[in-house]
Amino acid sequence: MKPHEITKDIFVVGGPDITDSRDGCIYLINLGELILIDSGAGWSVDKILNNINKLGLNNKNLTKIILTHCHIDHIGGAPEIKKRFGTKIYIHKLDAPPVEEGDPVLTAAKWYQASFPPTPVDVKLNSPEEIIRIDDKEIVCLHTPGHTPGSISIYLDKDGKRILFGQDLHGPILEEFGSNLEDYGRSTKKILDLNADILCEGHFGIYGSKQEVKDYILSYRRQYGVD
Ligand SMILES: [Zn+2]
Ligand SMILES: [Zn+2]
């Protein structure tokens, strides 16, 4: 896969087969200002920024990084991007402490033989559904715990399509991450009910029809025995 526009103004700019095998997928929303969804594991910041440039967008407009949860493969690039452009970091309040403390276990940095510096969070999301408004557009952040206590799923409705950024919907569900299977069951039900047209997933790429999105989520619900 190459960096490309998935649907108007929504881009994939990084991921395991684009920037670095250790990166989760990195998506970008262009609403005049640029909003990054996740930031890779930290080794590929220059590549991500290059990809954004190549798509004809200006990195100086990177105003927000929304982190879907506190794992290194999603948060690793955020401190450096924040340093270069003053980009504000958003994460759910329950996943903020590992980021702010640089916790090697809860960020999974230990697994990746990485170190993550304690990094201040600018905005802590704290309600079941939080809306980030940019002009007349709404980016909705849904609290969807399961994989981690503060995992979120993000969606926006644009040009008649609902685009969902689900990231680690596949899990894993692990005690050392603070995962919770009951929460996972409830959260994935909520996500299914969104009836999204496009799923931008955290490691396996993009699912481009309602049916594919549904099948993908259902397959993991079955695997974890919550369906
Ligand atoms: Zn994760
Ligand atoms: Zn991940």
Side-chain angles (χ1 to χ4, degrees):
M1 190 159 66
K2 282 195 169 140
H4 66 276
E5 188 167 37
I6 300 162
T7 182
K8 194 172 179 307
D9 298 328
I10 313 282
F11 302 85
V12 57
V13 296
D17 54 358
I18 300 177
T19 40
D20 188 294
S21 60
R22 297 163 288 190
D23 286 349
C25 297
I26 305 150
Y27 299 102
L28 185 80
I29 306 173
N30 176 16
L31 297 176
E33 52 179 278
L34 302 178
I35 300 108
L36 210 52
I37 312 277
D38 286 342
S39 62
W43 289 279
S44 61
V45 168
D46 285 324
K47 282 189 184 167
I48 298 166
L49 295 173
N50 235 329
N51 289 342
I52 296 172
N53 269 335
K54 279 197 242 160
L55 290 162
L57 301 165
N58 188 340
N59 292 317
K60 289 205 183 90
N61 298 330
L62 281 167
T63 55
K64 299 175 175 65
I65 303 177
I66 307 176
L67 298 173
T68 57
H69 64 294
C70 63
H71 289 159
I72 188 78
D73 46 329
H74 303 265
I75 67 172
E80 181 61 26
I81 296 171
K82 179 183 163 116
K83 198 163 99 189
R84 292 197 205 177
F85 304 106
T87 315
K88 299 264 187 286
I89 298 178
Y90 288 59
I91 194 167
H92 191 273
K93 69 169 179 197
L94 294 177
D95 270 25
V99 174
E100 296 200 304
E101 288 156 24
D103 185 308
V105 175
L106 289 175
T107 62
K110 211 175 98 183
W111 279 25
Y112 285 75
Q113 291 163 316
S115 65
F116 182 80
T119 300
V121 166
D122 297 285
V123 179
K124 291 173 192 167
L125 306 169
N126 65 22
S127 45
E129 183 177 305
E130 217 154 312
I131 297 172
I132 299 169
R133 285 197 174 80
I134 294 162
D135 297 327
D136 61 336
K137 297 286 186 304
E138 295 187 342
I139 298 174
V140 185
C141 301
L142 277 185
H143 183 211
T144 51
H147 176 55
T148 65
S151 286
I152 59 168
S153 302
I154 299 153
Y155 71 90
L156 82 160
D157 293 328
K158 202 169 176 305
D159 304 314
K161 284 197 173 118
R162 175 163 287 182
I163 303 116
L164 167 67
F165 303 89
Q167 307 315 72
D168 286 6
L169 291 181
H170 59 279
I173 303 295
L174 285 177
E175 204 174 322
E176 67 176 293
F177 289 164
S179 301
N180 182 304
L181 190 59
E182 272 174 35
D183 283 348
Y184 177 84
R186 272 191 294 270
S187 293
T188 46
K189 173 77 176 63
K190 246 204 292 195
I191 295 164
L192 271 177
D193 289 345
L194 292 175
N195 216 1
D197 297 284
I198 298 172
L199 168 63
C200 299
E201 204 275 343
H203 292 267
F204 305 114
I206 298 145
Y207 296 80
S209 74
K210 272 192 203 301
Q211 192 60 45
E212 275 178 46
V213 176
K214 199 173 152 194
D215 290 345
Y216 178 84
I217 300 167
L218 282 175
S219 74
Y220 284 100
R221 283 178 58 85
R222 277 193 292 271
Q223 190 175 314
Y224 289 113
V226 294
D227 219 28

